[in-house]
Amino acid sequence: MESTGYITLSRQSGLQREMQVVANNIANASTTGFRAEGVIFSEYVKGMDKGPSLSMGQGNIAKTSFEQGALTQTNGTFDFAIEGDGYFVVQTPLGDRLTRAGAFSPDAEGQLVTPDGFPVLDAGRAPLFVPAGAGTLSVSSDGTLSMDGAPLGQIAVVRPLEPLNMVREDGVMFRADEGDEPTEQARVLQGFVESSNVNPLLELSRMIEVQRAYEMGQSFLKTEDERVRAAVKTLTETQ
């Protein structure tokens, strides 16, 4: 295969990756706390002994949009949203993870957990417990849980030390390898959840653009293949 074929294939691979990312964004447009993803294309340039340099692109670097999604009122007692820069902390078998998805509920033991059953942690990194039927639960803007005025604990609200280096896990959770710290630049709202920050119209528009670009590349590869076949046939017949 000639260099033009390799260049086109590398472009097709990147476009395929971007299509997967766009499709995943659209699928999660209504997922609470979801953060839209994008693809960054990198270029590899290799100097050739003769002729122009060989340039190949790769779309293998994911980027995440950390813009806040719309806050939707649910009036749910255990639905919480963060207004501002911050994350809830949940405990998983693989370690603590950060999330903006605040649709929680108490389990059979009274622990406040995520829909997947992961405990929500307090400011001291311990699971939060909500006594069943003990009264009316309320949450202050700093995340302090109270039952009929009696404090129960404070929901941990933190910010990652290196937000751009966070690793996405399980759709709405992130791993912060560089650590995190408490933040006062956020407010906790009860009875709200944060919607996905995906813009469906923009994602659909991008999907059409990527699909057209991919089809153009496929057409070029087909034309190039026919050209090479014709050249080989001509050379064979002239010998």
Side-chain angles (χ1 to χ4, degrees):
M1 184 183 296
E2 296 182 352
S3 59
T4 51
Y6 285 114
I7 293 172
T8 305
L9 282 177
S10 69
R11 180 175 182 270
Q12 295 295 88
S13 177
L15 290 172
Q16 183 179 28
R17 168 60 179 156
E18 185 170 12
M19 178 64 78
Q20 292 171 343
V21 169
V22 171
N24 186 60
N25 286 341
I26 294 175
N28 286 280
S30 59
T31 300
T32 300
F34 184 81
R35 289 289 178 266
E37 273 192 306
V39 175
I40 298 176
F41 282 80
S42 57
E43 183 181 19
Y44 173 77
V45 180
K46 179 178 177 58
M48 309 300 289
D49 294 335
K50 296 181 180 179
S53 300
L54 176 64
S55 173
M56 301 177 69
Q58 289 185 323
N60 57 358
I61 303 176
K63 67 173 183 177
T64 300
S65 170
F66 294 106
E67 293 182 3
Q68 180 169 313
L71 301 184
T72 303
Q73 187 170 8
T74 65
N75 295 320
T77 301
F78 303 102
D79 286 342
F80 306 121
I82 296 176
E83 185 178 49
D85 183 19
Y87 292 82
F88 299 114
V89 184
V90 298
Q91 186 181 68
T92 76
L94 300 177
D96 295 350
R97 297 294 184 263
L98 309 186
T99 184
R100 296 276 296 195
F104 305 136
S105 62
D107 64 9
E109 299 176 352
Q111 282 192 116
L112 198 62
V113 298
T114 69
D116 294 321
F118 299 136
V120 182
L121 302 184
D122 63 14
R125 297 302 176 100
L128 282 162
F129 287 86
V130 179
T136 302
L137 180 73
S138 61
V139 181
S140 62
S141 61
D142 66 352
T144 299
L145 296 175
S146 300
M147 188 73 73
D148 289 339
L152 297 176
Q154 184 179 19
I155 300 176
V157 180
V158 303
R159 60 176 293 276
L161 297 179
E162 296 293 339
L164 297 181
N165 293 337
M166 288 199 301
V167 179
R168 181 192 295 265
E169 292 185 355
D170 195 29
V172 296
M173 292 195 298
F174 295 88
R175 187 181 78 239
D177 293 332
E178 285 82 2
D180 56 67
E181 62 183 4
T183 178
E184 297 180 357
Q185 307 301 317
R187 293 196 311 137
V188 178
L189 304 178
Q190 184 181 22
F192 289 82
V193 292
E194 182 178 354
S195 301
S196 167
N197 67 355
V198 172
N199 186 321
L201 293 179
L202 290 179
E203 295 297 327
L204 285 172
S205 175
R206 184 56 185 158
M207 174 177 281
I208 293 172
E209 292 178 0
V210 173
Q211 183 176 2
R212 288 176 177 172
Y214 190 87
E215 291 174 351
M216 185 181 300
Q218 290 293 95
S219 177
F220 175 81
L221 286 175
K222 182 179 179 180
T223 301
E224 185 69 6
D225 179 67
E226 292 174 352
R227 183 188 69 81
V228 173
R229 287 177 181 271
V232 171
K233 182 179 179 181
T234 300
L235 290 173
T236 303
E237 291 175 350
T238 56
Q239 289 181 354

